[in-house]
Amino acid sequence: MKEIMKITDALCQALQCQSQDILNAMNFVSSTKALIQKFRDEKWDNLLTTVKSFCEARDIDVPDMNARYVERGGLARFQQDDFTIEHHYRVDIFYAAIDSILQELNHRFSKHAVELLNLSSALDPKEARESFRSIDMLLLVNKFYPKDFTNQEMTLLKTEVDHYEHNVVRHPDFKKLSSISELCQWLVKTRKSLFYPYIYGLITLVLTLPVSTATTEQAFSAMNIIKNRLRNKMEDDFLMDSMILYIENEIAAKFGIESIIDDFRDLKERRVPF
């Protein structure tokens, strides 16, 4: 775990930066996956040698790695003869731990999500000043926001992009912008959002990404708190209602008990008045 944490530390630091650089963060994701995979494929022998040296220096018994492994609590006659202790540590522990981390990275940073963020970085003023990637802006719409733009709007967007490069990217004040949110505010302030409505619309769509991600993370955190070991048989409807109340606790705090009772009473008629 110490070796794995050395590899993942740079990614953790990049993702915690308040001023997030999307492109560099995604580069760290790709390099972290590659380095962890390389560690899995090539570093077992080095790790085993290091562990043996650590144990020998501290008089810790090292088992014979070529000996037959017998699962604790199991019967030897029911297990394979070629299943060695070395195989147990390498496959059941080393590979299993790394595969679990890679699976989590692929789940949180899938190729689809990485491509979305890389294409979105074309709207970043810092990236646009270095190299204006008009093709990436159009690919972003085609691949991820096709339902937000009609065919006619896509045609108009292509024309907007050409004018945007000359009239916005090359504007002197554009060099002072450092983020997509600042770009959005500047377009509204200078009324350029009225002349580039489709690019402005694309920028606002990209700005919603952190909000949607934060909401998802909140939902998973709330689920771990609400549906714990003692309440693991909670049904989906009740769990969903409880999560909404937990996540939106500031709004829920504004509802009084009397108003809740009145709403419950008005849901349907009852034989006995509530």
Side-chain angles (χ1 to χ4, degrees):
M1 294 308 299
K2 179 182 176 182
E3 296 298 324
I4 294 173
M5 290 177 69
K6 286 181 181 179
I7 298 173
T8 58
D9 180 66
L11 174 62
C12 294
Q13 297 297 330
L15 294 176
Q16 291 175 19
C17 291
Q18 292 183 354
S19 178
Q20 190 60 269
D21 187 336
I22 294 176
L23 191 58
N24 284 330
M26 290 305 100
N27 288 336
F28 272 118
V29 171
S30 300
S31 61
T32 300
K33 289 181 181 181
L35 290 173
I36 291 179
Q37 185 65 47
K38 182 178 180 181
F39 181 72
R40 181 190 188 280
D41 297 337
E42 302 177 4
K43 301 298 182 179
W44 163 252
D45 292 333
N46 292 339
L47 178 64
L48 183 59
T49 301
T50 302
V51 172
K52 286 182 177 179
S53 299
F54 177 88
C55 293
E56 292 171 357
R58 291 161 179 79
D59 295 328
I60 300 174
D61 292 335
V62 178
D64 181 6
M65 291 296 171
N66 295 320
R68 184 187 179 193
Y69 175 77
V70 178
E71 186 177 357
R72 183 176 298 177
L75 298 177
R77 66 176 181 270
F78 294 128
Q79 299 186 23
Q80 298 178 0
D81 294 335
D82 58 349
F83 195 82
T84 62
I85 293 177
E86 190 269 344
H87 181 276
H88 166 67
Y89 280 110
R90 178 168 51 87
V91 176
D92 294 344
I93 298 178
F94 181 73
Y95 286 170
I98 294 179
D99 289 344
S100 177
I101 293 172
L102 286 173
Q103 184 178 4
E104 182 69 16
L105 282 172
N106 289 327
H107 173 69
R108 292 184 177 270
F109 303 100
S110 63
K111 292 182 178 179
H112 189 75
V114 171
E115 184 182 12
L116 169 60
L117 294 174
N118 282 333
L119 292 176
S120 299
S121 66
L123 296 168
D124 193 322
K126 293 179 292 185
E127 293 293 322
R129 288 195 298 267
E130 296 293 331
S131 176
F132 185 68
R133 292 147 47 197
S134 58
I135 297 178
D136 286 353
M137 293 174 63
L138 299 176
L139 283 175
L140 179 63
V141 175
N142 283 325
K143 287 191 174 184
F144 297 99
Y145 300 108
K147 295 183 180 180
D148 294 282
F149 296 86
T150 63
N151 292 332
Q152 183 181 1
E153 290 174 342
M154 275 295 301
T155 303
L156 295 173
L157 175 63
K158 293 177 182 177
T159 305
E160 272 192 14
V161 167
D162 295 332
H163 287 283
Y164 181 85
E165 181 178 6
H166 287 81
N167 299 330
V168 176
V169 177
R170 298 181 183 180
H171 194 283
D173 292 340
F174 188 82
K175 298 179 181 179
K176 302 176 184 178
L177 306 176
S178 60
S179 65
I180 298 178
S181 60
E182 289 183 8
L183 171 61
C184 185
Q185 296 174 33
W186 181 75
L187 290 174
V188 174
K189 183 179 179 180
T190 58
R191 299 178 61 84
K192 292 185 182 295
S193 58
L194 301 176
F195 297 97
Y196 303 98
Y198 303 116
I199 294 180
Y200 177 75
L202 179 60
I203 291 172
T204 55
L205 287 171
V206 170
L207 286 174
T208 63
L209 288 175
V211 177
S212 58
T213 303
T215 303
T216 304
E217 293 296 334
Q218 277 187 315
F220 279 109
S221 298
M223 186 182 297
N224 292 330
I225 295 172
I226 295 171
K227 193 170 184 177
N228 54 29
R229 183 176 62 83
L230 297 177
R231 293 181 289 190
N232 59 0
K233 294 184 179 180
M234 185 183 296
E235 295 192 6
D236 293 341
D237 292 339
F238 186 65
L239 173 63
M240 185 180 300
D241 294 339
S242 300
M243 287 175 59
I244 292 174
L245 287 174
Y246 181 85
I247 295 172
E248 304 295 345
N249 56 79
E250 293 182 0
I251 299 176
K254 298 178 181 179
F255 296 102
I257 296 178
E258 295 297 330
S259 64
I260 296 174
I261 294 175
D262 291 341
D263 289 341
F264 180 75
R265 181 193 59 199
D266 296 337
L267 286 176
K268 63 179 181 179
E269 294 183 359
R270 292 174 172 80
R271 294 181 181 178
V272 179
F274 182 72

